[in-house]
């Protein structure tokens, strides 16, 4: 418990582990707040990460927390710039593991082009758990206005790649199932930046995280009051994830990702947007999966309807209760 | 555990408890990130709050987390603007208590003039604990440059009021000691704003939190490489806190506050700065306690020296190890 009390032990832990990895000139000033250049319009977000296990194939909680915050900023069209991180460590947290996590954060921040500008560490009683909160600031370019309400009839719905990978990875680890499924956790600033640079008039972006693709699309449908139609046959799912889900009776539509997004763009820009995403890192399996349409009647306002492979029409709702074992 | 899984239960908890209190037009958009007006230079900070008990005379974890973040921004001369909050709730957290905490956050944010723009809630296994991380953004006025390194010889050291109150309050609560000591937890944006509006060329501001006044001053002395001299007879301590400390053998110099700051200003501005602070909310007991001086020899570089009431000269160090029972 000595680390975290505001005295010398805390100072040393912070300096040794964090400063050695987070090479930020701002952070090393050791002030209560960082002072950094701003921008006319900024985006802000926060997220806490309580994942088990802390390390998994394809990533760890460190990569996850940077990607999560970077991606939330990107979903408003912002260029991610600054991240703060607050660590809550339970007594007995493994210092070597913490070092690996912090290194992973630094590497991911580097990849995503963000600076870690402020941090804080607290130690609580417990059993070695490591929880991380990250908050982020991004700069929103002048003419960019991306939000859920902007979905319009005749827009197309694009997903940037295979769904369910992160969830299937974490479940496999927890259940001790041996396979080669890897988490997709990845920062999406390059993909989003390219869409904006290429003047795609993106209406909506949303990263596919907790609750899975169906939850995300249903929330967007509700926000717009329109009808979202998707085609089951178009849904990109890694065959190994598909088998894993089949075996356990899980639905990839409700399984979380950590490096995928949904983009909603005007129909005429659909093919170009898919090409741009495909040519971006982490977007190789992007495809159009459906469209946004005016509701035909009351029951279709805010509806998410999937045309199934056998020709049925299934109304999808957001994730109810746990639905699936919690993974993040 | 149902709350926090990304499905409907989470949505309802968030909407019911948080949205009802945090009347932010930005927050109610329910986007992954808030988009808000920015500024040419911004300050950013983060802090996690793991205090026990969650409610105490004079405040609670909700008021504490807003004040902590507001004050960290103020210490760089920034006008606090936006706050994000991440809740980590242990299973079995008391929902009525959570409601009171959230209301306290909303009231304090209102008092401090900040907007809560983004939030996140996660539920972990445990025993009803409530942990809160806040991160904040403030706008730094054009000509303001306040930081630890700016302390100069012939500056005076001002403390904005009685030290040790928060720490003594929390300890009293934990030990079941009956007294009327109250926490000083308060937002200091009015006090700092007045100093800046009145063109006091403030060199350094630092809030007196964990580690107490001695730790804070020693850190500032080290950052400047100068000698800080303080007078024990000048230290403002509430008599009741003094008796409490005397009884337990504690030193108010190392006891944390949550609504006090140290200001270091050029000597000629000292009296005016004290007057401004005294006329501000939460500054009535402000006073000059010492001065910054060029070191006379090697041993005085970064030294904090207290002239004791009996005429001795005591070199003070930062808090070592726990020193005192952890309170935040």
């Amino acid at each position: 418990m000595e680390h975290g009390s505001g005295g010398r032990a805390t100072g040393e832990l912070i300096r040794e582990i964090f400063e050695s990895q987070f090479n930020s000139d701002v952070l090393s000033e050791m002030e209560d707040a960082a002072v950094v250049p701003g921008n006319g319009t900024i985006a802000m977000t926060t997220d806490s990460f309580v994942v088990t296990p802390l390390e998994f194939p394809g990533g760890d909680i460190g990569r996850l927390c940077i990607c999560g915050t970077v991606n939330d900023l990107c979903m408003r069209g912002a260029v991610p710039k600054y991240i703060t991180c607050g660590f809550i460590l339970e007594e007995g947290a493994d210092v070597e593991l913490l070092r690996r996590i912090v290194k992973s954060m630094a590497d991911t921040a580097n990849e995503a082009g963000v600076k870690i500008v402020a941090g804080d560490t607290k130690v609580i009683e417990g059993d070695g758990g490591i929880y991380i909160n990250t908050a982020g600031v991004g700069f929103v370019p002048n003419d960019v206005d991306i939000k859920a309400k902007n979905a319009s009839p005749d827009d197309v719905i694009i997903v940037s790649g295979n769904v369910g990978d992160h969830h299937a990875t974490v479940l496999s680890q927890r259940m001790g199932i041996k396979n080669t499924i890897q988490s997709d956790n990845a920062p999406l600033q390059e993909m989003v930046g390219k869409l904006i640079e290429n003047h795609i008039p993106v209406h909506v972006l949303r990263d596919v995280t907790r609750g899975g693709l169906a939850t995300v699309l249903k929330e967007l449908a509700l926000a717009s009051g329109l009808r979202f139609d998707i085609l089951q046959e178009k849904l990109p799912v890694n065959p190994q994830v598909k088998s894993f889900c089949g075996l356990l009776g899980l639905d990839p539509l409700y399984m979380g990702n950590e490096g995928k997004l949904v983009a909603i763009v005007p129909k005429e820009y659909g093919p170009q947007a898919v090409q741009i995403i495909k040519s971006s890192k982490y977007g190789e399996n992007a495809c159009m999966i459906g469209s946004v349409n005016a509701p035909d009647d009351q029951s279709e306002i805010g509806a998410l309807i999937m045309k199934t492979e056998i020709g049925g029409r299934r109304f999808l709702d957001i994730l109810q209760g746990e639905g699936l074992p919690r993974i993040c």
Side-chain angles (χ1 to χ4, degrees), chain A residues 183-259:
Chain A
S183 169
D184 58 340
N185 78 145
L188 300 175
Q189 86 290 343
E190 188 215 351
M191 187 183 290
V192 172
K194 275 190 179 174
L195 288 170
I196 291 169
E197 281 158 31
N198 283 285
H199 307 289
I200 304 293
V202 178
H203 285 164
V204 184
L205 291 172
R206 192 57 71 100
D207 56 338
V208 183
T209 53
R210 290 191 295 167
L213 183 65
T215 299
V216 164
L217 288 176
K218 176 68 182 175
E219 284 175 353
L220 294 176
L222 286 169
S224 69
L226 299 170
R227 189 187 79 218
F228 281 36
D229 294 292
I230 60 171
L231 297 168
Q232 186 172 33
E233 65 187 32
K234 298 281 187 190
L235 293 177
V237 185
N238 172 326
Q240 214 186 150
V241 171
K242 198 173 234 169
S243 321
F244 174 83
C245 292
L247 222 64
L248 295 173
L250 302 174
D251 187 344
L253 268 173
Y254 287 97
M255 293 174 66
N257 286 70
E258 291 290 347

Side-chain angles (χ1 to χ4, degrees), chain A residues 28-29 31 67 76 91 139 175 318 325:
Chain A
S28 61
E29 283 185 348
E31 296 280 352
C67 292
R76 301 303 301 274
E91 279 187 287
F139 293 175
M175 301 167 79
I318 66 172

Side-chain angles (χ1 to χ4, degrees), chain A residues 31-306:
Chain A
E31 296 280 352
D32 284 342
V35 171
V36 289
N39 187 61
T41 304
I42 60 176
M44 282 181 74
T45 189
T46 191
D47 215 339
S48 301
F49 295 82
V50 299
V51 68
T52 307
L54 293 165
E55 298 179 301
F56 44 79
D60 55 64
I61 190 176
R63 183 167 173 81
L64 213 54
C65 70
I66 301 295
C67 292
T69 296
V70 161
N71 293 347
D72 279 349
L73 295 171
C74 288
M75 298 308 115
R76 301 303 301 274
V79 180
K81 298 292 283 186
Y82 310 119
I83 288 194
T84 66
C85 48
F87 288 81
I88 297 181
L89 309 177
E90 287 182 354
E91 279 187 287
D94 177 341
V95 172
E96 283 315 306
L97 173 60
L98 184 61
R99 258 182 233 285
R100 289 197 300 274
I101 289 168
V102 169
K103 181 174 188 322
S104 175
M105 289 174 74
D107 291 345
T108 310
N110 200 36
E111 181 189 349
V114 294
K115 238 182 198 177
I116 295 169
V117 295
D120 175 69
T121 309
K122 293 290 188 312
V123 180
I124 58 174
E125 288 175 27
D127 201 24
I130 295 177
Y131 309 115
I132 307 177
N133 175 284
T134 42
V137 164
F139 293 175
V140 182
N142 269 335
D143 45 356
V144 168
D145 173 34
I146 296 173
K147 60 183 180 213
K149 282 179 188 152
N150 290 355
S152 304
D154 290 329
D155 282 353
V156 290
I157 302 168
I158 299 165
V159 63
S160 67
N162 297 337
V163 298
D165 297 22
H166 177 72
H167 206 141
T169 304
V170 172
L171 283 187
S172 300
Q173 292 296 306
R174 286 209 195 153
M175 301 167 79
I177 296 174
K178 288 218 186 330
N179 56 36
T180 59
I181 300 172
Q182 290 222 336
S183 169
D184 58 340
N185 78 145
L188 300 175
Q189 86 290 343
E190 188 215 351
M191 187 183 290
V192 172
K194 275 190 179 174
L195 288 170
I196 291 169
E197 281 158 31
N198 283 285
H199 307 289
I200 304 293
V202 178
H203 285 164
V204 184
L205 291 172
R206 192 57 71 100
D207 56 338
V208 183
T209 53
R210 290 191 295 167
L213 183 65
T215 299
V216 164
L217 288 176
K218 176 68 182 175
E219 284 175 353
L220 294 176
L222 286 169
S224 69
L226 299 170
R227 189 187 79 218
F228 281 36
D229 294 292
I230 60 171
L231 297 168
Q232 186 172 33
E233 65 187 32
K234 298 281 187 190
L235 293 177
V237 185
N238 172 326
Q240 214 186 150
V241 171
K242 198 173 234 169
S243 321
F244 174 83
C245 292
L247 222 64
L248 295 173
L250 302 174
D251 187 344
L253 268 173
Y254 287 97
M255 293 174 66
N257 286 70
E258 291 290 347
K260 296 291 152 39
L261 60 76
V262 161
I264 298 181
V265 305
K267 193 181 187 172
E268 60 273 29
Y269 289 92
Q272 194 192 346
V274 170
Q275 274 319 309
I276 290 169
I277 297 174
K278 272 176 162 313
S279 73
S280 305
K281 210 171 168 185
Y282 311 119
E284 60 268 30
N285 296 312
C287 59
M288 265 184 269
I289 58 165
S291 59
V292 177
N293 298 288
D296 280 333
D297 60 45
Q298 202 69 20
S299 75
E300 291 186 355
I301 295 175
L304 169 63
I305 302 172
M306 181 169 72

Side-chain angles (χ1 to χ4, degrees), chain A residues 13-26:
Chain A
L13 184 76
I14 290 171
R15 257 188 293 281
E16 189 194 332
I17 299 187
F18 298 100
E19 261 199 70
S20 69
Q21 286 299 330
F22 300 158
N23 276 320
S24 165
D25 44 340
V26 185

